[in-house]
Amino acid sequence: MEGDCLSCMKYLMFLFNFFIFLGGACLLGVGIWVIVDPTGFREIVAANPLLFTGAYIMLAMGAMLFLLGFLGCCGAIRENKCLLLFFFMFILLIFLAELSAAILAFVFRENLTREFFTKELKKHYLRNNDTDVFSSTWNSVMITFACCGVNGPEDFEAIPHLPYSSVEKATPEACCQRELQSREGLFVNKEACLTGVERFQNRQGCYTVILNSFETYVYLAGALAIGVLAIELFAMIFAMCLFRGIQ
Protein backbone atom coordinates (compact mmCIF):
# COMPACT_ATOMS: atom_id res chain seq x y z
CA MET A 1 0.00 0.00 0.00
CA GLU A 2 2.85 2.34 0.88
CA GLY A 3 4.55 1.54 -2.42
CA ASP A 4 1.36 2.34 -4.37
CA CYS A 5 1.01 5.64 -2.50
CA LEU A 6 4.63 6.53 -3.26
CA SER A 7 4.17 5.62 -6.92
CA CYS A 8 1.03 7.76 -7.10
CA MET A 9 2.88 10.65 -5.45
CA LYS A 10 5.73 10.27 -7.91
CA TYR A 11 3.48 10.55 -10.96
CA LEU A 12 1.53 13.43 -9.45
CA MET A 13 4.85 15.16 -8.82
CA PHE A 14 5.78 14.58 -12.44
CA LEU A 15 2.43 15.98 -13.61
CA PHE A 16 2.71 19.17 -11.55
CA ASN A 17 6.28 19.71 -12.68
CA PHE A 18 5.20 19.28 -16.26
CA PHE A 19 2.73 22.15 -15.74
CA ILE A 20 5.51 24.24 -14.14
CA PHE A 21 7.62 23.46 -17.20
CA LEU A 22 4.80 24.71 -19.47
CA GLY A 23 4.20 27.80 -17.28
CA GLY A 24 7.89 28.67 -17.45
CA ALA A 25 7.83 28.28 -21.22
CA CYS A 26 4.84 30.68 -21.40
CA LEU A 27 6.52 33.31 -19.20
CA LEU A 28 9.71 32.95 -21.21
CA GLY A 29 7.76 33.47 -24.43
CA VAL A 30 5.93 36.56 -23.09
CA GLY A 31 9.19 38.05 -21.79
CA ILE A 32 10.90 37.58 -25.16
CA TRP A 33 7.87 39.06 -26.96
CA VAL A 34 7.84 42.18 -24.74
CA ILE A 35 11.56 42.80 -25.36
CA VAL A 36 11.66 42.17 -29.13
CA ASP A 37 8.09 43.21 -30.12
CA PRO A 38 8.40 45.64 -33.08
CA THR A 39 4.95 47.30 -32.78
CA GLY A 40 5.94 50.02 -30.29
CA PHE A 41 5.32 48.25 -26.98
CA ARG A 42 9.06 47.64 -26.65
CA GLU A 43 9.70 51.41 -26.73
CA ILE A 44 7.24 51.96 -23.87
CA VAL A 45 9.09 49.36 -21.83
CA ALA A 46 12.51 50.78 -22.71
CA ALA A 47 11.52 54.29 -21.63
CA ASN A 48 10.35 53.20 -18.18
CA PRO A 49 13.10 51.68 -16.00
CA LEU A 50 10.52 49.91 -13.82
CA LEU A 51 8.84 48.21 -16.78
CA PHE A 52 12.21 47.52 -18.40
CA THR A 53 13.40 45.74 -15.24
CA GLY A 54 10.07 43.90 -14.97
CA ALA A 55 10.38 42.51 -18.50
CA TYR A 56 13.79 41.02 -17.73
CA ILE A 57 12.57 39.68 -14.39
CA MET A 58 9.74 37.94 -16.24
CA LEU A 59 12.27 36.53 -18.70
CA ALA A 60 14.53 35.27 -15.90
CA MET A 61 11.61 33.79 -13.94
CA GLY A 62 10.35 32.00 -17.04
CA ALA A 63 13.78 30.51 -17.69
CA MET A 64 14.11 29.37 -14.06
CA LEU A 65 10.66 27.78 -14.02
CA PHE A 66 11.42 26.11 -17.33
CA LEU A 67 14.62 24.63 -15.90
CA LEU A 68 13.15 23.71 -12.51
CA GLY A 69 10.15 22.03 -14.10
CA PHE A 70 12.52 19.88 -16.09
CA LEU A 71 14.63 19.07 -13.01
CA GLY A 72 11.52 18.29 -10.96
CA CYS A 73 10.31 15.84 -13.58
CA CYS A 74 13.72 14.11 -13.57
CA GLY A 75 13.84 14.02 -9.74
CA ALA A 76 10.36 12.50 -9.52
CA ILE A 77 10.88 9.80 -12.15
CA ARG A 78 14.36 8.82 -10.87
CA GLU A 79 13.37 9.24 -7.19
CA ASN A 80 16.53 11.26 -6.56
CA LYS A 81 16.44 12.90 -3.10
CA CYS A 82 19.15 15.47 -3.93
CA LEU A 83 17.27 16.68 -7.01
CA LEU A 84 14.01 16.81 -5.07
CA LEU A 85 15.55 18.85 -2.24
CA PHE A 86 17.25 21.18 -4.73
CA PHE A 87 13.93 21.58 -6.55
CA PHE A 88 12.00 22.29 -3.32
CA MET A 89 14.40 24.99 -2.11
CA PHE A 90 14.52 26.84 -5.41
CA ILE A 91 10.79 26.60 -6.09
CA LEU A 92 10.23 28.03 -2.59
CA LEU A 93 12.52 30.98 -3.37
CA ILE A 94 10.73 31.60 -6.66
CA PHE A 95 7.34 31.35 -4.96
CA LEU A 96 8.34 33.96 -2.35
CA ALA A 97 9.82 36.25 -5.03
CA GLU A 98 6.63 36.09 -7.13
CA LEU A 99 4.49 36.75 -4.06
CA SER A 100 6.67 39.77 -3.19
CA ALA A 101 6.41 41.07 -6.77
CA ALA A 102 2.61 40.77 -6.66
CA ILE A 103 2.48 42.71 -3.38
CA LEU A 104 4.79 45.45 -4.76
CA ALA A 105 2.67 45.70 -7.94
CA PHE A 106 -0.42 46.20 -5.77
CA VAL A 107 1.29 48.81 -3.58
CA PHE A 108 2.65 50.86 -6.52
CA ARG A 109 -0.42 50.50 -8.74
CA GLU A 110 -1.13 54.26 -8.39
CA ASN A 111 1.90 54.92 -10.64
CA LEU A 112 -0.15 53.60 -13.58
CA THR A 113 -3.08 55.99 -13.20
CA ARG A 114 -4.33 58.40 -15.87
CA GLU A 115 -3.32 61.37 -13.70
CA PHE A 116 0.25 60.11 -13.33
CA PHE A 117 0.78 59.73 -17.09
CA THR A 118 -0.86 63.10 -17.79
CA LYS A 119 1.45 64.83 -15.31
CA GLU A 120 4.55 63.12 -16.77
CA LEU A 121 3.52 63.99 -20.34
CA LYS A 122 3.04 67.68 -19.58
CA LYS A 123 6.32 67.80 -17.65
CA HIS A 124 8.68 65.96 -20.02
CA TYR A 125 7.18 65.92 -23.53
CA LEU A 126 9.18 67.91 -26.12
CA ARG A 127 6.84 67.44 -29.11
CA ASN A 128 8.66 66.38 -32.29
CA ASN A 129 12.11 66.12 -30.69
CA ASP A 130 12.99 62.50 -31.55
CA THR A 131 16.42 62.80 -29.90
CA ASP A 132 14.63 62.78 -26.54
CA VAL A 133 13.74 59.21 -25.49
CA PHE A 134 10.56 60.22 -23.64
CA SER A 135 9.20 62.30 -26.53
CA SER A 136 10.20 59.76 -29.17
CA THR A 137 8.49 57.00 -27.21
CA TRP A 138 5.27 58.96 -26.85
CA ASN A 139 5.31 59.83 -30.55
CA SER A 140 5.74 56.15 -31.45
CA VAL A 141 2.88 55.16 -29.14
CA MET A 142 0.54 57.82 -30.55
CA ILE A 143 1.35 56.83 -34.14
CA THR A 144 1.09 53.08 -33.51
CA PHE A 145 -2.22 53.22 -31.60
CA ALA A 146 -3.73 56.16 -33.58
CA CYS A 147 -4.28 58.16 -30.38
CA CYS A 148 -3.29 61.53 -28.97
CA GLY A 149 -1.93 62.35 -25.53
CA VAL A 150 -3.21 60.61 -22.42
CA ASN A 151 -6.76 62.01 -22.57
CA GLY A 152 -6.76 63.67 -26.00
CA PRO A 153 -5.22 66.63 -27.90
CA GLU A 154 -6.12 68.97 -25.04
CA ASP A 155 -3.22 67.51 -23.04
CA PHE A 156 -0.81 69.50 -25.22
CA GLU A 157 -2.41 72.91 -24.72
CA ALA A 158 -0.16 73.60 -21.71
CA ILE A 159 2.97 72.51 -23.60
CA PRO A 160 4.63 75.37 -25.51
CA HIS A 161 4.94 74.80 -29.24
CA LEU A 162 8.10 75.26 -31.25
CA PRO A 163 9.08 78.95 -31.55
CA TYR A 164 9.40 78.75 -35.32
CA SER A 165 5.99 77.11 -35.78
CA SER A 166 3.52 79.24 -37.73
CA VAL A 167 0.42 77.26 -36.74
CA GLU A 168 -2.07 78.58 -34.20
CA LYS A 169 -2.50 75.31 -32.32
CA ALA A 170 0.71 73.34 -32.15
CA THR A 171 -0.76 69.84 -32.16
CA PRO A 172 2.07 67.27 -32.36
CA GLU A 173 2.51 65.64 -35.75
CA ALA A 174 2.13 62.25 -34.07
CA CYS A 175 -1.53 63.12 -33.38
CA CYS A 176 -2.32 63.65 -37.07
CA GLN A 177 -4.22 60.96 -38.96
CA ARG A 178 -2.17 58.88 -41.38
CA GLU A 179 -3.17 56.57 -44.20
CA LEU A 180 -1.02 53.90 -42.57
CA GLN A 181 -0.37 53.97 -38.82
CA SER A 182 3.43 53.98 -38.90
CA ARG A 183 6.14 56.62 -39.10
CA GLU A 184 6.39 55.97 -42.83
CA GLY A 185 2.64 56.46 -43.34
CA LEU A 186 1.50 59.51 -45.32
CA PHE A 187 -0.51 62.20 -43.52
CA VAL A 188 -4.16 62.58 -44.52
CA ASN A 189 -3.89 66.37 -44.20
CA LYS A 190 -0.97 67.50 -42.06
CA GLU A 191 -1.50 71.26 -42.35
CA ALA A 192 -5.18 71.09 -41.40
CA CYS A 193 -4.37 68.77 -38.50
CA LEU A 194 -1.72 71.10 -37.07
CA THR A 195 -4.04 74.11 -37.28
CA GLY A 196 -6.62 72.29 -35.16
CA VAL A 197 -9.07 70.76 -37.66
CA GLU A 198 -10.43 67.92 -35.57
CA ARG A 199 -11.45 65.55 -38.38
CA PHE A 200 -7.81 65.18 -39.38
CA GLN A 201 -6.64 64.48 -35.82
CA ASN A 202 -6.68 61.33 -33.71
CA ARG A 203 -8.97 62.57 -30.93
CA GLN A 204 -9.03 59.58 -28.60
CA GLY A 205 -6.59 59.51 -25.66
CA CYS A 206 -3.90 56.82 -25.56
CA TYR A 207 -4.75 55.76 -22.01
CA THR A 208 -8.19 54.45 -23.03
CA VAL A 209 -6.97 52.95 -26.31
CA ILE A 210 -4.06 51.05 -24.73
CA LEU A 211 -6.15 49.98 -21.74
CA ASN A 212 -8.79 48.51 -24.07
CA SER A 213 -6.10 46.88 -26.23
CA PHE A 214 -4.34 45.14 -23.35
CA GLU A 215 -7.29 44.56 -20.98
CA THR A 216 -7.75 40.95 -22.10
CA TYR A 217 -4.02 40.25 -21.83
CA VAL A 218 -3.84 41.76 -18.32
CA TYR A 219 -6.60 39.45 -17.06
CA LEU A 220 -4.97 36.53 -18.85
CA ALA A 221 -1.59 37.33 -17.26
CA GLY A 222 -3.23 37.63 -13.83
CA ALA A 223 -5.01 34.30 -14.20
CA LEU A 224 -1.78 32.70 -15.42
CA ALA A 225 0.16 34.10 -12.43
CA ILE A 226 -2.42 32.76 -9.95
CA GLY A 227 -2.36 29.38 -11.69
CA VAL A 228 1.45 29.24 -11.60
CA LEU A 229 1.53 30.10 -7.88
CA ALA A 230 -1.04 27.40 -7.10
CA ILE A 231 0.88 24.80 -9.14
CA GLU A 232 4.15 25.75 -7.42
CA LEU A 233 2.54 25.36 -3.99
CA PHE A 234 1.20 21.89 -4.80
CA ALA A 235 4.53 20.92 -6.39
CA MET A 236 6.40 21.85 -3.19
CA ILE A 237 3.99 19.74 -1.11
CA PHE A 238 4.37 16.74 -3.39
CA ALA A 239 8.17 17.18 -3.55
CA MET A 240 8.49 17.12 0.24
CA CYS A 241 6.11 14.14 0.59
CA LEU A 242 8.05 12.22 -2.07
CA PHE A 243 11.36 13.20 -0.47
CA ARG A 244 10.21 11.83 2.91
CA GLY A 245 8.80 8.67 1.31
CA ILE A 246 11.96 7.66 -0.57
CA GLN A 247 14.07 5.19 1.41
Side-chain angles (χ1 to χ4, degrees), residues 141-149 151-154 156 171-178 181 187-188 193 197-206 209:
V141 169
M142 291 190 291
I143 292 171
T144 301
F145 291 96
C147 56
C148 188
N151 309 286
E154 62 274 9
F156 300 101
T171 302
E173 290 183 6
C175 288
C176 297
Q177 292 182 4
R178 299 170 185 251
Q181 288 306 133
F187 291 100
V188 175
C193 166
V197 180
E198 294 185 1
R199 66 193 184 95
F200 295 114
Q201 297 176 348
N202 296 316
R203 303 293 301 175
Q204 193 169 13
C206 293
V209 172

Side-chain angles (χ1 to χ4, degrees), residues 4-124:
D4 291 338
C5 184
L6 186 63
S7 179
C8 179
M9 193 71 68
K10 178 174 71 174
Y11 287 111
L12 282 174
M13 174 73 178
F14 177 84
L15 181 63
F16 275 109
N17 275 283
F18 180 70
F19 283 122
I20 289 175
F21 176 83
L22 290 181
C26 289
L27 286 177
L28 193 60
V30 171
I32 293 172
W33 174 76
V34 168
I35 292 171
V36 305
D37 172 49
T39 61
F41 189 63
R42 175 185 55 189
E43 296 185 21
I44 303 174
V45 174
N48 190 317
L50 188 61
L51 292 178
F52 187 74
T53 304
Y56 278 98
I57 289 175
M58 183 186 297
L59 195 65
M61 296 296 286
M64 290 180 68
L65 286 175
F66 183 87
L67 177 62
L68 285 175
F70 177 77
L71 291 175
C73 288
C74 292
I77 292 298
R78 295 192 175 191
E79 298 184 7
N80 188 306
K81 296 187 74 170
C82 290
L83 277 178
L84 287 172
L85 185 60
F86 174 82
F87 167 81
F88 176 84
M89 292 177 64
F90 272 85
I91 209 74
L92 177 62
L93 289 175
I94 291 174
F95 179 85
L96 293 175
E98 289 173 344
L99 199 58
S100 300
I103 293 171
L104 286 174
F106 179 79
V107 170
F108 293 105
R109 67 191 185 282
E110 65 273 9
N111 287 343
L112 298 178
T113 61
R114 185 189 296 269
E115 292 73 20
F116 172 79
F117 285 116
T118 303
K119 179 182 177 182
E120 291 296 301
L121 179 70
K122 291 181 178 180
K123 183 178 179 181
H124 301 292

Side-chain angles (χ1 to χ4, degrees), residues 162-182:
L162 299 174
Y164 52 80
S165 175
S166 60
V167 298
E168 296 177 2
K169 295 182 180 180
T171 302
E173 290 183 6
C175 288
C176 297
Q177 292 182 4
R178 299 170 185 251
E179 295 178 3
L180 178 66
Q181 288 306 133
S182 69

Side-chain angles (χ1 to χ4, degrees), residues 121-141:
L121 179 70
K122 291 181 178 180
K123 183 178 179 181
H124 301 292
Y125 185 67
L126 300 177
R127 296 190 177 274
N128 302 320
N129 184 356
D130 284 338
T131 59
D132 177 67
V133 175
F134 184 89
S135 303
S136 177
T137 299
W138 262 105
N139 289 334
S140 295
V141 169

